[in-house]
Amino acid sequence: MPIADKFRKAVGLFVTMDEPDPETPRPLNFSQPTPQVNAPSAEMTELDRKLAEIEKKSKAIGTGSPTPQTPQTIEQLVRQSDGPNLDEIKVSAEETSGALLPNGNVDVQAIYAGAKLPTVIFGAEQTRELLSKLPNGLSLDMQRQMVAATLTTMGATMGASAETIVADASRKLAALASYVEDLQKVTTERMSYSQAEIEALQARITEQQGIIASTQQQLTTAQAQCEAEADKIDDILEFFSLDTGPSKYATSVQPSAAPGV
């Protein structure tokens, strides 16, 4: 899916920011190897037991889950956070020329800098790393609860929350979409200019080829006419010359020279 379509889809997504469940397992400790939820029951860690309890509760009817807030679109959420609104994020491809590296790669951080996005300590990239370290086999609900617990712990020291992460991710997606859109515009303009130059050069080449052909034809015509005229003049010279030597009227038997000559 093109970036612009991803961005348009993201703007319309609905989200709710619930308070974390008091029964949510403790935040992930990334200094320790992440345990697997399917480990043998005799060797289950405290985190494993908590995960099992949460999964059991999530399957039960009428569990005391918190009442969700009124859903709002991501665009609405971003408007409520510090920083530019999504429709205010514009990135100039020419002003962010450093984003295109000599090896053909793209420096996305240069794009974000060009968009003048607010700096966050824990944003989209850090969240992607956090999600990659979740134990395998967790349900989506349990993944969200574990991340919520981790963010609650981090919030006091790093100011991280689901709201700030969603806002950061949305703004970065908007910056990428704006950059690609502007880059496509600049590229199209450059290609149009280059195509016009090619057409002008091709027209010039065609013109020069015509000049060459015309000049060659003039040479051929002039040469033929001059040769015809030379034949006529040569006939005059032949008429007044002796019928000897190179004359076309000379016989094969040359006359002997006159006595005393």
Side-chain angles (χ1 to χ4, degrees), residues 62-254:
T63 54
S65 58
T67 303
Q69 299 177 2
T70 302
Q72 56 183 336
T73 65
I74 286 180
E75 184 177 20
Q76 292 171 331
L77 185 147
V78 173
R79 288 182 179 276
Q80 298 170 10
S81 63
D82 295 333
N85 297 329
L86 296 180
D87 57 357
E88 296 172 341
I89 297 175
K90 305 297 179 184
V91 184
S92 170
E94 292 185 336
E95 294 177 1
T96 355
S97 56
L100 290 176
L101 302 177
N103 60 4
N105 293 332
V106 176
D107 182 0
V108 295
Q109 297 302 324
I111 297 176
Y112 301 152
K116 299 179 174 59
L117 301 183
T119 302
V120 294
I121 299 177
F122 194 92
E125 293 85 352
Q126 293 76 18
T127 303
R128 184 168 60 236
E129 182 179 358
L130 171 65
L131 294 175
S132 70
K133 294 183 178 180
L134 290 174
N136 296 328
L138 290 178
S139 65
L140 179 60
D141 181 63
M142 294 180 67
Q143 292 182 47
R144 287 173 173 170
Q145 290 191 47
M146 292 185 68
V147 171
T150 303
L151 294 179
T152 298
T153 302
M154 298 169 54
T157 56
M158 303 181 67
S161 67
E163 289 88 343
T164 59
I165 293 172
V166 169
D168 179 63
S170 302
R171 289 188 175 110
K172 286 176 177 175
L173 184 57
L176 293 173
S178 176
Y179 175 79
V180 169
E181 180 181 3
D182 193 67
L183 184 61
Q184 288 176 334
K185 178 182 177 182
V186 171
T187 302
T188 299
E189 291 174 351
R190 290 176 180 174
M191 290 174 61
S192 297
Y193 175 80
S194 297
Q195 184 62 37
E197 287 290 300
I198 291 174
E199 292 175 357
L201 290 173
Q202 287 177 335
R204 180 65 175 164
I205 290 173
T206 301
E207 178 185 2
Q208 293 301 315
Q209 288 175 335
I211 292 174
I212 292 174
S214 176
T215 302
Q216 184 64 46
Q217 182 60 44
Q218 289 176 353
L219 172 62
T220 302
T221 301
Q223 186 175 9
Q225 292 179 359
C226 287
E227 288 178 354
E229 182 65 17
D231 287 341
K232 295 177 182 178
I233 295 175
D234 183 61
D235 285 343
I236 295 175
L237 294 176
E238 290 282 355
F239 179 80
F240 288 102
S241 67
L242 294 175
D243 298 333
T244 60
S247 173
K248 64 182 180 181
Y249 299 114
T251 61
S252 57
V253 179
Q254 299 297 327

Side-chain angles (χ1 to χ4, degrees), residues 18-57:
D18 303 332
E19 294 296 327
D21 192 328
E23 297 292 337
T24 299
R26 65 189 181 191
L28 292 176
N29 180 5
F30 295 119
S31 62
Q32 301 292 334
T34 303
Q36 300 297 318
V37 297
N38 56 355
S41 58
E43 301 177 1
M44 288 181 65
T45 63
E46 180 182 354
L47 177 58
D48 293 323
R49 289 193 295 271
K50 284 287 187 181
L51 292 176
E53 292 174 4
I54 292 298
E55 187 172 21
K56 181 178 180 181
K57 289 183 178 181

